[in-house]
Short mmCIF file of all heavy atoms in Angstrom, two decimals:
data_model
loop_
_atom_site.label_atom_id
_atom_site.label_comp_id
_atom_site.label_asym_id
_atom_site.label_seq_id
_atom_site.Cartn_x
_atom_site.Cartn_y
_atom_site.Cartn_z
N MET M 1 0.83 -1.18 0.00
CA MET M 1 0.00 0.00 0.00
C MET M 1 0.88 1.24 0.00
O MET M 1 1.92 1.28 0.66
CB MET M 1 -0.90 -0.01 1.22
CG MET M 1 -1.82 1.18 1.26
SD MET M 1 -3.26 0.92 2.27
CE MET M 1 -2.78 1.77 3.71
N GLU M 2 0.45 2.25 -0.72
CA GLU M 2 1.21 3.48 -0.79
C GLU M 2 1.20 4.17 0.57
O GLU M 2 0.20 4.16 1.26
CB GLU M 2 0.61 4.43 -1.85
CG GLU M 2 0.75 3.93 -3.26
CD GLU M 2 -0.44 3.09 -3.72
OE1 GLU M 2 -1.33 2.81 -2.91
OE2 GLU M 2 -0.46 2.71 -4.89
N ARG M 3 2.32 4.77 0.93
CA ARG M 3 2.41 5.47 2.21
C ARG M 3 2.42 6.98 2.02
O ARG M 3 2.16 7.70 2.96
CB ARG M 3 3.66 5.04 2.95
CG ARG M 3 3.61 3.59 3.38
CD ARG M 3 4.78 3.28 4.28
NE ARG M 3 4.65 1.95 4.81
CZ ARG M 3 4.09 1.68 5.98
NH1 ARG M 3 3.62 2.63 6.73
NH2 ARG M 3 4.00 0.44 6.41
N LYS M 4 2.74 7.45 0.84
CA LYS M 4 2.77 8.88 0.57
C LYS M 4 1.66 9.19 -0.44
O LYS M 4 1.26 8.33 -1.20
CB LYS M 4 4.12 9.30 0.01
CG LYS M 4 5.26 9.03 0.97
CD LYS M 4 6.58 9.44 0.38
CE LYS M 4 7.71 9.11 1.35
NZ LYS M 4 9.01 9.47 0.82
N THR M 5 1.20 10.41 -0.44
CA THR M 5 0.15 10.78 -1.37
C THR M 5 0.49 12.06 -2.10
O THR M 5 1.27 12.88 -1.62
CB THR M 5 -1.21 10.97 -0.64
OG1 THR M 5 -1.06 12.00 0.34
CG2 THR M 5 -1.68 9.69 0.01
N ALA M 6 -0.10 12.22 -3.28
CA ALA M 6 0.00 13.45 -4.05
C ALA M 6 -1.41 13.77 -4.54
O ALA M 6 -2.21 12.87 -4.79
CB ALA M 6 0.95 13.27 -5.23
N ARG M 7 -1.71 15.01 -4.67
CA ARG M 7 -3.05 15.43 -5.08
C ARG M 7 -3.16 15.46 -6.59
O ARG M 7 -2.26 15.90 -7.29
CB ARG M 7 -3.35 16.82 -4.52
CG ARG M 7 -4.76 17.30 -4.80
CD ARG M 7 -5.07 18.59 -4.08
NE ARG M 7 -4.78 18.51 -2.66
CZ ARG M 7 -5.64 18.09 -1.74
NH1 ARG M 7 -6.83 17.68 -2.11
NH2 ARG M 7 -5.30 18.07 -0.47
N LEU M 8 -4.29 14.96 -7.10
CA LEU M 8 -4.62 15.01 -8.53
C LEU M 8 -5.93 15.77 -8.65
O LEU M 8 -6.95 15.35 -8.11
CB LEU M 8 -4.77 13.59 -9.09
CG LEU M 8 -5.24 13.48 -10.53
CD1 LEU M 8 -4.18 14.04 -11.49
CD2 LEU M 8 -5.54 12.02 -10.87
N THR M 9 -5.89 16.90 -9.33
CA THR M 9 -7.09 17.73 -9.49
C THR M 9 -7.57 17.62 -10.92
O THR M 9 -6.77 17.68 -11.86
CB THR M 9 -6.76 19.20 -9.17
OG1 THR M 9 -6.23 19.27 -7.84
CG2 THR M 9 -8.00 20.07 -9.26
N LEU M 10 -8.88 17.41 -11.09
CA LEU M 10 -9.41 17.33 -12.44
C LEU M 10 -10.76 18.01 -12.51
O LEU M 10 -11.44 18.19 -11.50
CB LEU M 10 -9.53 15.86 -12.89
CG LEU M 10 -10.43 14.97 -12.03
CD1 LEU M 10 -11.73 14.73 -12.73
CD2 LEU M 10 -9.70 13.68 -11.75
N LEU M 11 -11.10 18.42 -13.71
CA LEU M 11 -12.41 19.05 -13.94
C LEU M 11 -13.33 18.02 -14.56
O LEU M 11 -12.93 17.27 -15.44
CB LEU M 11 -12.25 20.25 -14.88
CG LEU M 11 -11.35 21.37 -14.36
CD1 LEU M 11 -11.21 22.46 -15.42
CD2 LEU M 11 -11.88 21.94 -13.06
N ILE M 12 -14.58 17.97 -14.05
CA ILE M 12 -15.54 16.98 -14.52
C ILE M 12 -16.92 17.62 -14.51
O ILE M 12 -17.21 18.51 -13.70
CB ILE M 12 -15.48 15.72 -13.62
CG1 ILE M 12 -16.36 14.62 -14.17
CG2 ILE M 12 -15.82 16.04 -12.19
CD1 ILE M 12 -16.19 13.28 -13.46
N ASP M 13 -17.77 17.17 -15.41
CA ASP M 13 -19.14 17.65 -15.47
C ASP M 13 -19.82 17.40 -14.12
O ASP M 13 -19.72 16.29 -13.57
CB ASP M 13 -19.89 16.89 -16.58
CG ASP M 13 -21.34 17.25 -16.64
OD1 ASP M 13 -21.67 18.38 -17.05
OD2 ASP M 13 -22.17 16.40 -16.22
N PRO M 14 -20.50 18.41 -13.56
CA PRO M 14 -21.13 18.25 -12.24
C PRO M 14 -22.12 17.08 -12.16
O PRO M 14 -22.18 16.38 -11.15
CB PRO M 14 -21.83 19.58 -12.00
CG PRO M 14 -21.05 20.57 -12.82
CD PRO M 14 -20.62 19.79 -14.05
N ALA M 15 -22.89 16.85 -13.21
CA ALA M 15 -23.86 15.75 -13.20
C ALA M 15 -23.13 14.40 -13.19
O ALA M 15 -23.55 13.46 -12.50
CB ALA M 15 -24.79 15.84 -14.40
N LYS M 16 -22.04 14.31 -13.93
CA LYS M 16 -21.26 13.07 -13.96
C LYS M 16 -20.60 12.83 -12.59
O LYS M 16 -20.56 11.70 -12.11
CB LYS M 16 -20.19 13.16 -15.05
CG LYS M 16 -19.50 11.84 -15.35
CD LYS M 16 -18.47 12.01 -16.46
CE LYS M 16 -19.15 12.36 -17.76
NZ LYS M 16 -18.21 12.55 -18.87
N LYS M 17 -20.12 13.89 -11.96
CA LYS M 17 -19.51 13.78 -10.64
C LYS M 17 -20.54 13.28 -9.62
O LYS M 17 -20.26 12.38 -8.82
CB LYS M 17 -18.95 15.13 -10.19
CG LYS M 17 -18.35 15.11 -8.79
CD LYS M 17 -17.82 16.51 -8.42
CE LYS M 17 -17.21 16.53 -7.05
NZ LYS M 17 -18.20 16.69 -5.98
N ALA M 18 -21.73 13.85 -9.65
CA ALA M 18 -22.79 13.46 -8.72
C ALA M 18 -23.16 11.99 -8.92
O ALA M 18 -23.34 11.24 -7.95
CB ALA M 18 -24.00 14.36 -8.87
N ALA M 19 -23.30 11.56 -10.18
CA ALA M 19 -23.63 10.16 -10.47
C ALA M 19 -22.52 9.23 -9.98
O ALA M 19 -22.79 8.17 -9.41
CB ALA M 19 -23.87 9.99 -11.96
N PHE M 20 -21.28 9.63 -10.19
CA PHE M 20 -20.12 8.85 -9.75
C PHE M 20 -20.12 8.71 -8.23
O PHE M 20 -19.94 7.62 -7.68
CB PHE M 20 -18.84 9.52 -10.25
CG PHE M 20 -17.57 8.87 -9.81
CD1 PHE M 20 -17.26 7.56 -10.18
CD2 PHE M 20 -16.65 9.56 -9.03
CE1 PHE M 20 -16.07 6.96 -9.78
CE2 PHE M 20 -15.46 8.97 -8.63
CZ PHE M 20 -15.17 7.67 -9.00
N GLU M 21 -20.35 9.82 -7.52
CA GLU M 21 -20.37 9.79 -6.07
C GLU M 21 -21.52 8.94 -5.53
O GLU M 21 -21.35 8.21 -4.55
CB GLU M 21 -20.44 11.22 -5.51
CG GLU M 21 -19.16 11.99 -5.73
CD GLU M 21 -19.22 13.45 -5.34
OE1 GLU M 21 -20.34 14.04 -5.39
OE2 GLU M 21 -18.18 14.00 -4.99
N ARG M 22 -22.68 9.00 -6.18
CA ARG M 22 -23.81 8.15 -5.77
C ARG M 22 -23.47 6.68 -5.94
O ARG M 22 -23.72 5.87 -5.05
CB ARG M 22 -25.08 8.49 -6.58
CG ARG M 22 -25.80 9.73 -6.10
CD ARG M 22 -27.19 9.84 -6.71
NE ARG M 22 -27.20 9.81 -8.17
CZ ARG M 22 -27.05 10.87 -8.96
NH1 ARG M 22 -26.88 12.07 -8.44
NH2 ARG M 22 -27.07 10.73 -10.27
N LEU M 23 -22.90 6.32 -7.08
CA LEU M 23 -22.53 4.93 -7.33
C LEU M 23 -21.48 4.46 -6.33
O LEU M 23 -21.57 3.34 -5.80
CB LEU M 23 -22.02 4.76 -8.76
CG LEU M 23 -21.59 3.34 -9.15
CD1 LEU M 23 -22.72 2.34 -8.94
CD2 LEU M 23 -21.08 3.32 -10.58
N CYS M 24 -20.48 5.29 -6.05
CA CYS M 24 -19.47 4.93 -5.06
C CYS M 24 -20.12 4.68 -3.70
O CYS M 24 -19.77 3.70 -3.01
CB CYS M 24 -18.41 6.03 -4.95
SG CYS M 24 -17.31 6.14 -6.37
N ALA M 25 -21.05 5.52 -3.30
CA ALA M 25 -21.73 5.35 -2.02
C ALA M 25 -22.51 4.04 -1.99
O ALA M 25 -22.47 3.31 -0.99
CB ALA M 25 -22.66 6.53 -1.75
N ILE M 26 -23.19 3.73 -3.06
CA ILE M 26 -23.94 2.46 -3.15
C ILE M 26 -23.01 1.28 -3.02
O ILE M 26 -23.33 0.28 -2.37
CB ILE M 26 -24.73 2.39 -4.48
CG1 ILE M 26 -25.88 3.40 -4.46
CG2 ILE M 26 -25.24 0.98 -4.76
CD1 ILE M 26 -26.52 3.62 -5.82
N GLN M 27 -21.82 1.38 -3.62
CA GLN M 27 -20.85 0.28 -3.60
C GLN M 27 -19.95 0.31 -2.36
O GLN M 27 -19.07 -0.52 -2.21
CB GLN M 27 -20.00 0.31 -4.87
CG GLN M 27 -20.81 0.05 -6.11
CD GLN M 27 -20.00 0.09 -7.38
OE1 GLN M 27 -18.93 0.69 -7.44
NE2 GLN M 27 -20.50 -0.57 -8.41
N ASP M 28 -20.19 1.28 -1.47
CA ASP M 28 -19.44 1.43 -0.22
C ASP M 28 -17.94 1.56 -0.45
O ASP M 28 -17.12 0.93 0.21
CB ASP M 28 -19.73 0.26 0.73
CG ASP M 28 -19.27 0.55 2.16
OD1 ASP M 28 -19.25 1.74 2.54
OD2 ASP M 28 -18.91 -0.40 2.87
N VAL M 29 -17.57 2.38 -1.44
CA VAL M 29 -16.18 2.73 -1.70
C VAL M 29 -16.11 4.24 -1.85
O VAL M 29 -17.11 4.89 -2.16
CB VAL M 29 -15.62 2.05 -2.99
CG1 VAL M 29 -15.53 0.55 -2.82
CG2 VAL M 29 -16.44 2.41 -4.21
N THR M 30 -14.94 4.78 -1.62
CA THR M 30 -14.78 6.23 -1.82
C THR M 30 -14.41 6.51 -3.27
O THR M 30 -13.82 5.65 -3.94
CB THR M 30 -13.68 6.81 -0.90
OG1 THR M 30 -12.42 6.28 -1.30
CG2 THR M 30 -13.95 6.49 0.57
N PRO M 31 -14.74 7.70 -3.75
CA PRO M 31 -14.30 8.06 -5.10
C PRO M 31 -12.78 7.95 -5.25
O PRO M 31 -12.29 7.50 -6.29
CB PRO M 31 -14.77 9.51 -5.26
CG PRO M 31 -15.99 9.58 -4.38
CD PRO M 31 -15.63 8.73 -3.19
N SER M 32 -12.03 8.29 -4.23
CA SER M 32 -10.56 8.19 -4.30
C SER M 32 -10.12 6.75 -4.49
O SER M 32 -9.18 6.47 -5.25
CB SER M 32 -9.92 8.76 -3.04
OG SER M 32 -10.08 10.16 -3.00
N GLN M 33 -10.76 5.81 -3.79
CA GLN M 33 -10.41 4.40 -3.95
C GLN M 33 -10.62 3.95 -5.39
O GLN M 33 -9.79 3.24 -5.96
CB GLN M 33 -11.24 3.53 -3.01
CG GLN M 33 -10.88 3.66 -1.56
CD GLN M 33 -11.86 2.94 -0.65
OE1 GLN M 33 -13.07 2.97 -0.86
NE2 GLN M 33 -11.33 2.27 0.37
N VAL M 34 -11.73 4.36 -5.97
CA VAL M 34 -12.05 3.96 -7.35
C VAL M 34 -11.04 4.57 -8.32
O VAL M 34 -10.53 3.88 -9.20
CB VAL M 34 -13.49 4.36 -7.72
CG1 VAL M 34 -13.78 4.08 -9.19
CG2 VAL M 34 -14.49 3.64 -6.82
N VAL M 35 -10.73 5.84 -8.15
CA VAL M 35 -9.78 6.50 -9.06
C VAL M 35 -8.40 5.87 -8.93
O VAL M 35 -7.74 5.60 -9.95
CB VAL M 35 -9.73 8.03 -8.79
CG1 VAL M 35 -8.58 8.68 -9.56
CG2 VAL M 35 -11.05 8.67 -9.17
N ARG M 36 -7.95 5.57 -7.70
CA ARG M 36 -6.65 4.91 -7.53
C ARG M 36 -6.63 3.56 -8.23
O ARG M 36 -5.65 3.19 -8.89
CB ARG M 36 -6.30 4.77 -6.05
CG ARG M 36 -5.87 6.09 -5.42
CD ARG M 36 -5.27 5.89 -4.04
NE ARG M 36 -6.22 5.34 -3.08
CZ ARG M 36 -6.97 6.07 -2.26
NH1 ARG M 36 -6.90 7.39 -2.29
NH2 ARG M 36 -7.79 5.47 -1.41
N ARG M 37 -7.72 2.78 -8.09
CA ARG M 37 -7.79 1.47 -8.74
C ARG M 37 -7.76 1.63 -10.26
O ARG M 37 -7.06 0.90 -10.96
CB ARG M 37 -9.06 0.72 -8.32
CG ARG M 37 -9.10 -0.70 -8.89
CD ARG M 37 -10.34 -1.46 -8.48
NE ARG M 37 -11.49 -0.92 -9.19
CZ ARG M 37 -12.62 -0.54 -8.62
NH1 ARG M 37 -12.79 -0.63 -7.32
NH2 ARG M 37 -13.60 -0.07 -9.36
N LEU M 38 -8.51 2.60 -10.79
CA LEU M 38 -8.52 2.84 -12.24
C LEU M 38 -7.13 3.20 -12.75
O LEU M 38 -6.71 2.74 -13.82
CB LEU M 38 -9.52 3.94 -12.60
CG LEU M 38 -10.99 3.57 -12.44
CD1 LEU M 38 -11.87 4.82 -12.58
CD2 LEU M 38 -11.40 2.51 -13.44
N ILE M 39 -6.41 4.02 -12.00
CA ILE M 39 -5.06 4.41 -12.42
C ILE M 39 -4.13 3.20 -12.41
O ILE M 39 -3.36 2.99 -13.35
CB ILE M 39 -4.51 5.55 -11.54
CG1 ILE M 39 -5.30 6.83 -11.84
CG2 ILE M 39 -3.02 5.76 -11.76
CD1 ILE M 39 -5.00 7.99 -10.89
N ARG M 40 -4.20 2.37 -11.34
CA ARG M 40 -3.36 1.15 -11.30
C ARG M 40 -3.67 0.25 -12.49
O ARG M 40 -2.75 -0.27 -13.14
CB ARG M 40 -3.60 0.38 -9.99
CG ARG M 40 -2.91 0.96 -8.79
CD ARG M 40 -2.93 0.00 -7.61
NE ARG M 40 -4.27 -0.45 -7.25
CZ ARG M 40 -5.10 0.15 -6.40
NH1 ARG M 40 -4.70 1.28 -5.80
NH2 ARG M 40 -6.28 -0.34 -6.14
N GLU M 41 -4.96 0.04 -12.78
CA GLU M 41 -5.35 -0.82 -13.90
C GLU M 41 -4.90 -0.24 -15.24
O GLU M 41 -4.46 -0.97 -16.12
CB GLU M 41 -6.87 -1.04 -13.89
CG GLU M 41 -7.33 -1.89 -12.72
CD GLU M 41 -8.85 -1.94 -12.59
OE1 GLU M 41 -9.57 -1.27 -13.36
OE2 GLU M 41 -9.32 -2.66 -11.68
N TYR M 42 -5.00 1.07 -15.40
CA TYR M 42 -4.59 1.73 -16.64
C TYR M 42 -3.09 1.58 -16.85
O TYR M 42 -2.63 1.25 -17.96
CB TYR M 42 -4.98 3.22 -16.58
CG TYR M 42 -4.74 3.97 -17.86
CD1 TYR M 42 -5.58 3.80 -18.97
CD2 TYR M 42 -3.69 4.87 -17.98
CE1 TYR M 42 -5.37 4.50 -20.13
CE2 TYR M 42 -3.47 5.57 -19.15
CZ TYR M 42 -4.31 5.38 -20.22
OH TYR M 42 -4.09 6.08 -21.39
N LEU M 43 -2.32 1.79 -15.79
CA LEU M 43 -0.87 1.61 -15.90
C LEU M 43 -0.52 0.17 -16.25
O LEU M 43 0.32 -0.08 -17.12
CB LEU M 43 -0.19 2.02 -14.58
CG LEU M 43 -0.22 3.51 -14.24
CD1 LEU M 43 0.30 3.73 -12.82
CD2 LEU M 43 0.55 4.33 -15.24
N ALA M 44 -1.16 -0.78 -15.59
CA ALA M 44 -0.89 -2.20 -15.86
C ALA M 44 -1.26 -2.57 -17.29
O ALA M 44 -0.53 -3.30 -17.96
CB ALA M 44 -1.65 -3.08 -14.87
N ALA M 45 -2.39 -2.06 -17.77
CA ALA M 45 -2.85 -2.37 -19.12
C ALA M 45 -1.87 -1.87 -20.18
O ALA M 45 -1.79 -2.43 -21.28
CB ALA M 45 -4.23 -1.76 -19.37
N HIS M 46 -1.10 -0.84 -19.84
CA HIS M 46 -0.15 -0.27 -20.78
C HIS M 46 1.30 -0.66 -20.45
O HIS M 46 2.24 -0.08 -20.99
CB HIS M 46 -0.32 1.25 -20.85
CG HIS M 46 -1.63 1.65 -21.45
ND1 HIS M 46 -1.85 1.69 -22.81
CD2 HIS M 46 -2.81 1.96 -20.87
CE1 HIS M 46 -3.10 2.03 -23.05
NE2 HIS M 46 -3.70 2.20 -21.88
N GLY M 47 1.44 -1.63 -19.57
CA GLY M 47 2.76 -2.15 -19.26
C GLY M 47 3.67 -1.22 -18.49
O GLY M 47 4.89 -1.37 -18.53
N VAL M 48 3.09 -0.26 -17.78
CA VAL M 48 3.89 0.68 -17.02
C VAL M 48 4.07 0.13 -15.61
O VAL M 48 3.11 -0.15 -14.91
CB VAL M 48 3.22 2.07 -16.95
CG1 VAL M 48 4.02 3.03 -16.09
CG2 VAL M 48 3.03 2.63 -18.36
N GLN M 49 5.34 -0.05 -15.22
CA GLN M 49 5.64 -0.54 -13.88
C GLN M 49 6.09 0.61 -13.01
O GLN M 49 6.70 1.57 -13.49
CB GLN M 49 6.73 -1.60 -13.95
CG GLN M 49 6.30 -2.83 -14.72
CD GLN M 49 7.40 -3.87 -14.79
OE1 GLN M 49 8.53 -3.62 -14.41
NE2 GLN M 49 7.05 -5.04 -15.27
N PHE M 50 5.79 0.51 -11.72
CA PHE M 50 6.19 1.55 -10.78
C PHE M 50 6.34 0.92 -9.40
O PHE M 50 5.81 -0.14 -9.13
CB PHE M 50 5.17 2.68 -10.74
CG PHE M 50 3.84 2.26 -10.15
CD1 PHE M 50 3.54 2.52 -8.82
CD2 PHE M 50 2.92 1.59 -10.93
CE1 PHE M 50 2.34 2.10 -8.29
CE2 PHE M 50 1.71 1.18 -10.41
CZ PHE M 50 1.41 1.44 -9.07
N VAL M 51 7.10 1.58 -8.55
CA VAL M 51 7.23 1.16 -7.16
C VAL M 51 6.41 2.15 -6.35
O VAL M 51 6.67 3.35 -6.40
CB VAL M 51 8.71 1.18 -6.71
CG1 VAL M 51 8.83 0.87 -5.23
CG2 VAL M 51 9.53 0.22 -7.55
N PRO M 52 5.41 1.68 -5.62
CA PRO M 52 4.58 2.60 -4.83
C PRO M 52 5.42 3.41 -3.85
O PRO M 52 6.39 2.90 -3.28
CB PRO M 52 3.62 1.67 -4.07
CG PRO M 52 3.58 0.42 -4.88
CD PRO M 52 4.96 0.30 -5.48
N SER M 53 5.05 4.67 -3.65
CA SER M 53 5.75 5.52 -2.70
C SER M 53 5.73 4.88 -1.33
O SER M 53 4.70 4.37 -0.89
CB SER M 53 5.07 6.89 -2.61
OG SER M 53 5.12 7.52 -3.86
N GLY M 54 6.86 4.88 -0.66
CA GLY M 54 6.95 4.30 0.67
C GLY M 54 7.34 2.84 0.66
O GLY M 54 7.77 2.31 1.67
N ALA M 55 7.20 2.15 -0.48
CA ALA M 55 7.53 0.72 -0.53
C ALA M 55 9.02 0.50 -0.28
O ALA M 55 9.40 -0.41 0.43
CB ALA M 55 7.13 0.12 -1.88
N ALA M 56 9.86 1.34 -0.85
CA ALA M 56 11.30 1.20 -0.65
C ALA M 56 11.66 1.49 0.80
O ALA M 56 12.55 0.87 1.37
CB ALA M 56 12.05 2.14 -1.58
N ASP M 57 10.94 2.44 1.43
CA ASP M 57 11.19 2.77 2.84
C ASP M 57 10.91 1.56 3.73
O ASP M 57 11.65 1.27 4.65
CB ASP M 57 10.31 3.94 3.29
CG ASP M 57 10.62 5.22 2.54
OD1 ASP M 57 11.75 5.33 2.00
OD2 ASP M 57 9.76 6.10 2.49
N VAL M 58 9.85 0.83 3.43
CA VAL M 58 9.49 -0.34 4.22
C VAL M 58 10.55 -1.42 4.05
O VAL M 58 10.95 -2.07 5.01
CB VAL M 58 8.09 -0.89 3.81
CG1 VAL M 58 7.82 -2.21 4.48
CG2 VAL M 58 7.03 0.13 4.16
N ALA M 59 11.03 -1.61 2.83
CA ALA M 59 12.04 -2.64 2.56
C ALA M 59 13.34 -2.35 3.29
O ALA M 59 14.06 -3.25 3.68
CB ALA M 59 12.27 -2.76 1.06
N ARG M 60 13.67 -1.08 3.46
CA ARG M 60 14.94 -0.70 4.08
C ARG M 60 14.85 -0.50 5.58
O ARG M 60 15.85 -0.29 6.23
CB ARG M 60 15.44 0.60 3.45
CG ARG M 60 15.94 0.41 2.05
CD ARG M 60 16.61 1.69 1.57
NE ARG M 60 16.16 1.90 0.21
CZ ARG M 60 15.84 3.05 -0.31
NH1 ARG M 60 15.87 4.14 0.39
NH2 ARG M 60 15.45 3.15 -1.55
N ARG M 61 13.64 -0.52 6.13
CA ARG M 61 13.46 -0.26 7.55
C ARG M 61 14.18 -1.32 8.38
O ARG M 61 13.97 -2.51 8.18
CB ARG M 61 11.98 -0.25 7.89
CG ARG M 61 11.71 0.17 9.32
CD ARG M 61 10.24 0.25 9.61
NE ARG M 61 9.64 1.26 8.76
CZ ARG M 61 8.38 1.24 8.34
NH1 ARG M 61 7.59 0.25 8.67
NH2 ARG M 61 7.90 2.19 7.58
N PRO M 62 15.02 -0.90 9.32
CA PRO M 62 15.74 -1.89 10.14
C PRO M 62 14.78 -2.61 11.07
O PRO M 62 13.79 -2.05 11.52
CB PRO M 62 16.74 -1.05 10.92
CG PRO M 62 16.22 0.33 10.89
CD PRO M 62 15.38 0.46 9.64
N ARG M 63 15.10 -3.88 11.35
CA ARG M 63 14.29 -4.67 12.27
C ARG M 63 14.55 -4.20 13.69
O ARG M 63 15.65 -3.74 14.02
CB ARG M 63 14.62 -6.15 12.14
CG ARG M 63 14.19 -6.75 10.85
CD ARG M 63 14.30 -8.26 10.85
NE ARG M 63 15.37 -8.82 11.68
CZ ARG M 63 16.57 -9.12 11.24
NH1 ARG M 63 16.90 -8.92 9.99
NH2 ARG M 63 17.48 -9.64 12.05
N ALA M 64 13.59 -4.39 14.56
CA ALA M 64 13.76 -4.09 15.96
C ALA M 64 14.75 -5.07 16.57
O ALA M 64 14.85 -6.21 16.13
CB ALA M 64 12.42 -4.17 16.68
N LYS M 65 15.47 -4.64 17.58
CA LYS M 65 16.43 -5.52 18.24
C LYS M 65 15.70 -6.73 18.77
O LYS M 65 14.62 -6.62 19.37
CB LYS M 65 17.14 -4.80 19.37
CG LYS M 65 18.16 -3.80 18.89
CD LYS M 65 18.94 -3.23 20.05
CE LYS M 65 20.00 -2.27 19.53
NZ LYS M 65 20.83 -1.75 20.60
N GLY M 66 16.29 -7.90 18.56
CA GLY M 66 15.71 -9.13 19.05
C GLY M 66 14.62 -9.71 18.17
O GLY M 66 14.08 -10.76 18.45
N ALA M 67 14.27 -9.03 17.07
CA ALA M 67 13.22 -9.53 16.18
C ALA M 67 13.79 -10.68 15.35
O ALA M 67 14.92 -10.63 14.88
CB ALA M 67 12.72 -8.42 15.24
N SER M 68 13.00 -11.71 15.19
CA SER M 68 13.46 -12.86 14.40
C SER M 68 13.19 -12.63 12.93
O SER M 68 12.31 -11.86 12.57
CB SER M 68 12.76 -14.14 14.87
OG SER M 68 11.40 -14.07 14.56
N ARG M 69 13.94 -13.29 12.07
CA ARG M 69 13.76 -13.16 10.63
C ARG M 69 12.58 -13.95 10.13
O ARG M 69 11.98 -13.61 9.14
CB ARG M 69 15.02 -13.60 9.90
CG ARG M 69 16.16 -12.68 10.09
CD ARG M 69 17.37 -13.19 9.36
NE ARG M 69 18.46 -12.27 9.50
CZ ARG M 69 19.16 -11.81 8.50
NH1 ARG M 69 18.91 -12.21 7.28
NH2 ARG M 69 20.13 -10.95 8.69
N GLY M 70 12.24 -15.04 10.81
CA GLY M 70 11.22 -15.94 10.30
C GLY M 70 9.81 -15.57 10.69
O GLY M 70 8.87 -16.19 10.25
N GLY M 71 9.61 -14.57 11.50
CA GLY M 71 8.28 -14.19 11.91
C GLY M 71 7.75 -15.11 13.00
O GLY M 71 8.50 -15.85 13.64
N ALA M 72 6.45 -15.12 13.20
CA ALA M 72 5.83 -15.92 14.26
C ALA M 72 5.91 -17.40 13.92
O ALA M 72 5.81 -17.80 12.77
CB ALA M 72 4.37 -15.49 14.45
N ARG M 73 6.09 -18.20 14.93
CA ARG M 73 6.15 -19.65 14.73
C ARG M 73 5.07 -20.33 15.49
O ARG M 73 4.61 -20.02 16.47
CB ARG M 73 7.50 -20.20 15.17
CG ARG M 73 8.58 -19.71 14.26
CD ARG M 73 9.89 -20.32 14.65
NE ARG M 73 10.91 -19.69 13.85
CZ ARG M 73 12.08 -20.17 13.66
NH1 ARG M 73 12.41 -21.31 14.20
NH2 ARG M 73 12.95 -19.57 12.92
#
């Protein structure tokens, strides 16, 4: 999951926006969730690869002292 965010501003017909927000509410998702999913799918469909913001930070984060490598047993 992405840890950092950037704002994307767009202009859309007010009636289309209202219909989109109603559908999102019916489906119990936020408009932002839908737009993020659409962007991920669009990038994948066009073969564009990316590393989500914050993913590299998680990979490099040092383990706590005494933490095991294998996780819970």
